[in-house]
Structures are given as structure tokens and as C-alpha cells.
């Protein structure tokens, strides 16, 4: 039987190069060998302050971006989470006996609640994420490194459910790239690049034009000293840029560092900018060619298919939990 893969992205702002390098490029490549299910997880994007108008625009923009990076709706199931109510239902059923201890230790909750308040939805976010994954009974989940803790909880929830109610969910494996798993902000090299980052100069957006990409990379915070060496601990700024170049040039980080050993920071940044512009330009072009109506149609169709699949799991889950008809 073909193995299945699932992942999600929040429509919480503009998709950036961290999302792409850490997760989306794996989403694309895994389509070749897996039965792939990808989701714009809008129910996760309402756990802090948000504007309904902006959310609505961001959902469509995120869906279009996924198609532009290479998610192929003929091969993969793609839909908006909120259009498949079984996600929320399974989240409740799984959350009913999820202990508070692990949730209390989630670092993302601590970071996000400091900024946007202590909402219940933000606290229970990892349980909804577990439901998103488990409802499709998947084997692999391509995510960035920041999701490791959440995925561990998902695995624990799957194991507990299977132990209590009988074998139901495969215990999914995390798929995280060797390079690019944690792209750092260009302005604050101790924080990961995020959609919700306040400083627009900290993120390179997938839809940024070449001029903006060059400007942001020229302004990128670099480390003390002047050597181009790969040392994520002591030279996080330069190492972050080496990571980007390594991916876009498909060369190991050591080779990239050696290629630029004699360069100044300024020259090196321009080389990175050139590679990023070249790497992102097909995505931008494809995005611009997509019609909103066509994307909306695809998303509606995806939701119908996803509901059927999700309902099959829910019928089994309800029955095992003593909630069947
Ligand atoms: P937000 O700030 O709203 O949480 P985000 O930028 O973290 O947004 P998400 O939608 O939460 O984006 O995550 C989508 C995917 O991108 C996840 O798999 C996540 O692990 C990955 N990801 C997010 N930021 C980075 C990053 N800086 N480097 C690598 N992967 C990342
Ligand atoms: Mg995030």
C-alpha cells in the first residue's frame, strides 16, 4: 500500500523562504512517492488577534503559493482545514484525555502567548495539529525543526489511542531537511524566520520581487569578524545565508563556504541574493499566472475529497470510543 504524507501551513501571513526551505520543498518532492495530503490550516490561524478580511485574502494567497511552488492537485489532495469539520471533531476527541503536562511544556505556546495572549485555542493548538495528521492516518509529516515538539506529542497521542482502543493510527515520522530546517530571521539571528515576525526586513517572502530580495539581503544582520565560515553557533547570520546558497546551488555548506572564503560580507550577500532571486523567480511567475476562481474551485473539490477520507477515519474512531451509531 502506498504510504501517506500530510502537512499544513497557516494562512497567518505571507509565505517566506523559511517555510519553503524547511517544509514546502519536501512537500513537493514527497508527492512523487507518497499519497500526499496538504492543507491550509486556517483553524490554526485564528488563535490570536486577526482580521477576517485579511484571513480570507491570506487563505487564497497561501493556497495559490502552494500551487506555485509545485503542489500538483492532480496528484495531491489540497484543501482548507475549516472546510473539513472532522479535523475539529477529532481534535476534541483526542484532547479529551490529553494530559496538560506536555501541553504546558510547548515552547511555541510560550513564545506566541507572550505576544498574542493566553487563548485556549493557542494552548490546544498541538492537539488540533495531531488531529490534522492522524485523521489521514499518515506515515510521514514534512515540517521544519520548530514543529518537532508538536510532532512528538502527535506520536504520543497516536500511541496512547492505539493502546486504549486498538490499532488505529500509524505513528507518523517527521521529515525535516538536513539544511534549511530552521531558517533564521535576517534581522534577529537568534529567532526563526516567521510569518508573524514584526520586522518585514527579517523575512524573504516567496513573492518578493528581485529588488526587494536584494535590499533585504544587503541589510541582513551579519556576525562580528569578516570571514565566511559555517558555524551556526558562533556565526548564525553568515551560516543562515550559507544555508540558503547551499540549497539554491545544490552544494554542501562546506563547499559554499570554501567558494566564498576570500569574499567580503557585501560581495557574499550579493551572491546569495542572486541565487535566491533565481530560485524564487519561477515560483513568482507561476503564482502570477494562477486565476483566483480556478484556485477556489480546486480548493472546494479538495475539501469534498478530504471530507470523505476524514469521515472514514471518524466512523472508525467514534465506534471504537463508544460513540458509534
Ligand atoms: P507563524 O509565525 O504564523 O507560526 P510560520 O512562519 O511559523 O508562521 P507555519 O504556517 O506555522 O509558518 O509553518 C508552516 C511550515 O513551515 C511548518 O512546517 C514549519 O515547521 C515551517 N517553518 C516555519 N518557519 C520556518 C523556518 N524559519 N525555517 C524552517 N521551516 C520553517
Ligand atoms: Mg509557525
Amino acid at each position: 500500500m502506498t504510504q501517506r504524507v500530510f502537512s499544513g501551513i497557516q494562512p497567518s501571513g505571507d509565505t517566506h523562504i523559511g517555510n519553503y526551505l524547511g517544509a514546502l520543498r519536501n512537500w513537493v518532492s514527497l508527492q512523487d512517492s507518497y499519497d500526499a495530503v496538504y492543507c491550509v490550516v486556517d483553524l490554526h490561524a485564528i488563535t490570536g488577534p486577526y482580521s477576517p478580511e485579511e484571513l480570507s485574502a491570506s487563505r487564497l494567497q497561501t493556497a495559490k503559493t502552494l500551487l506555485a511552488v509545485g503542489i500538483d492537485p492532480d496528484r495531491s489532495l489540497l484543501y482548507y482545514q475549516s472546510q473539513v469539520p472532522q479535523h475539529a471533531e477529532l481534535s476534541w476527541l483526542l484532547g479529551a484525555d490529553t494530559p496538560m503536562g506536555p501541553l504546558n511544556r510547548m515552547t511555541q505556546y510560550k513564545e506566541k502567548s507572550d505576544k498574542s495572549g493566553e487563548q485556549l485555542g493557542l494552548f490546544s493548538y498541538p492537539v488540533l495539529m495531531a488531529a490534522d495528521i492522524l485523521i489521514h492516518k499518515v506515515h510521514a509529516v514534512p515540517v521544519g525543526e520548530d514543529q518537532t515538539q508538536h510532532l512528538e506529542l502527535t506520536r504520543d497521542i497516536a500511541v496512547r489511542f492505539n493502546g486504549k482502543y486498538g490499532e488505529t493510527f500509524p505513528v507518523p515520522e517527521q521529515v525535516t531537511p538536513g539544511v534549511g530546517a530552521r531558517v533564521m530571521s535576517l534581522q534577529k539571528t537568534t529567532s526563526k524566520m516567521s510569518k508573524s515576525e514584526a520586522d518585514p526586513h527579517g523575512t524573504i517572502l516567496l513573492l518578493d520581487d528581485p529588488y526587494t530580495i536584494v535590499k533585504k539581503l544587503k541589510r541582513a544582520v551579519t556576525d562580528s569578524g569578516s570571514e565566511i565560515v559555517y558555524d551556526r553557533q558562533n556565526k548564525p547570520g553568515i551560516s543562515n545565508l550559507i544555508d540558503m546558497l547551499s540549497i539554491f546551488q545544490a552544494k554542501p555548506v562546506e563547499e559554499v563556504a570554501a567558494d566564498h572564503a576570500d569574499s567580503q560580507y557585501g560581495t557574499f550577500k550579493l551572491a546569495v541574493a542572486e541565487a535566491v532571486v533565481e530560485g524564487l523567480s519561477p515560483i513568482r511567475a507561476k503564482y502570477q499566472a494562477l486565476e483566483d476562481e480556478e484556485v477556489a474551485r480546486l480548493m472546494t473539490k479538495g475539501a469534498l475529497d478530504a471530507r470523505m477520507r476524514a469521515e472514514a477515519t471518524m466512523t472508525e474512531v467514534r465506534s471504537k470510543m463508544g460513540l458509534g451509531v
Side-chain angles (χ1 to χ4, degrees):
M1 190 182 67
T2 317
Q3 298 250 304
R4 283 177 299 269
V5 62
F6 172 89
S7 199
I9 182 165
Q10 300 186 69
S12 51
D14 298 327
T15 308
H16 53 77
I17 198 169
N19 301 131
Y20 181 57
L21 301 183
L24 303 183
R25 72 197 163 102
N26 269 340
W27 294 25
V28 174
S29 61
L30 289 168
Q31 295 180 115
D32 296 336
S33 42
Y34 283 80
D35 176 7
V37 184
Y38 297 128
C39 191
V40 176
V41 287
D42 45 9
L43 296 178
H44 287 282
I46 58 170
T47 55
Y50 78 98
S51 125
E53 292 74 28
E54 279 174 21
L55 176 65
S56 178
S58 186
R59 287 164 94 223
L60 181 64
Q61 194 192 61
T62 306
K64 283 172 76 176
T65 305
L66 295 178
L67 295 167
V69 298
I71 301 305
D72 174 359
D74 289 332
R75 286 191 292 160
S76 298
L77 192 50
L78 177 65
Y79 63 100
Y80 295 121
Q81 181 190 32
S82 59
Q83 293 192 357
V84 179
Q86 289 87 347
H87 282 261
E89 182 187 359
L90 183 59
S91 174
W92 179 262
L93 297 185
L94 297 177
D97 74 340
T98 298
M100 301 281 280
L103 290 173
N104 273 320
R105 289 192 289 276
M106 293 294 164
T107 53
Q108 179 176 287
Y109 177 72
K110 290 191 191 104
E111 286 160 14
K112 290 202 168 178
S113 60
D114 280 349
K115 287 188 209 153
S116 61
E118 299 194 323
Q119 285 80 238
L120 178 61
L122 189 59
F123 186 74
S124 60
Y125 180 119
V127 180
L128 178 56
M129 177 168 155
D132 299 338
I133 295 165
L134 298 180
I135 204 154
H136 291 295
K137 297 195 175 188
V138 303
H139 307 89
V141 185
V143 285
E145 194 183 85
D146 63 302
Q147 293 302 316
T148 301
Q149 211 184 10
H150 290 166
L151 204 66
E152 273 165 14
L153 181 81
T154 300
R155 294 163 56 85
D156 290 347
I157 288 177
V159 168
R160 198 173 44 249
F161 190 98
N162 291 344
K164 216 165 157 180
Y165 302 108
E167 205 54 33
T168 308
F169 299 118
V171 180
E173 298 294 333
Q174 177 167 352
V175 181
T176 297
V179 177
R182 189 176 183 82
V183 176
M184 307 311 279
S185 158
L186 299 182
Q187 290 301 316
K188 199 166 167 240
T189 54
T190 49
S191 302
K192 83 166 188 76
M193 196 180 275
S194 281
K195 283 194 237 89
S196 46
E197 179 171 331
D199 185 347
H201 300 292
T203 51
I204 295 175
L205 307 180
L206 291 194
L207 303 178
D208 273 344
D209 60 55
Y211 172 78
T212 308
I213 293 173
V214 173
K215 202 170 71 178
K216 286 179 176 176
L217 279 163
K218 273 188 179 168
R219 290 177 60 150
V221 170
T222 35
D223 317 293
S224 57
S226 58
E227 319 85 72
I228 314 277
V229 283
Y230 192 71
D231 178 349
R232 281 183 69 100
Q233 197 69 33
N234 299 307
K235 295 194 87 113
I238 282 295
S239 300
N240 199 33
L241 301 185
I242 292 176
D243 280 346
M244 289 180 198
L245 198 47
S246 152
I247 294 167
F248 284 112
Q249 290 189 333
K251 276 186 187 177
V253 288
E254 296 76 21
E255 202 176 317
V256 171
D259 287 350
H260 294 272
D262 299 326
S263 304
Q264 304 287 315
Y265 279 173
T267 319
F268 175 63
K269 284 175 169 181
L270 284 179
V272 177
E274 199 179 314
V276 171
V277 165
E278 199 184 308
L280 298 188
S281 72
I283 297 175
R284 234 174 113 232
K286 197 162 170 207
Y287 183 96
Q288 283 160 354
L290 288 165
E291 301 279 349
D292 290 358
E293 295 71 28
E294 174 62 8
V295 176
R297 194 190 62 76
L298 280 173
M299 295 304 280
T300 303
K301 172 163 186 321
L304 287 175
D305 293 346
R307 258 185 240 172
M308 300 250 291
R309 287 210 202 184
E311 185 54 21
T313 305
M314 286 314 299
T315 305
E316 181 186 350
V317 165
R318 287 185 210 110
S319 155
K320 284 183 169 167
M321 291 183 73
L323 300 165
V325 285

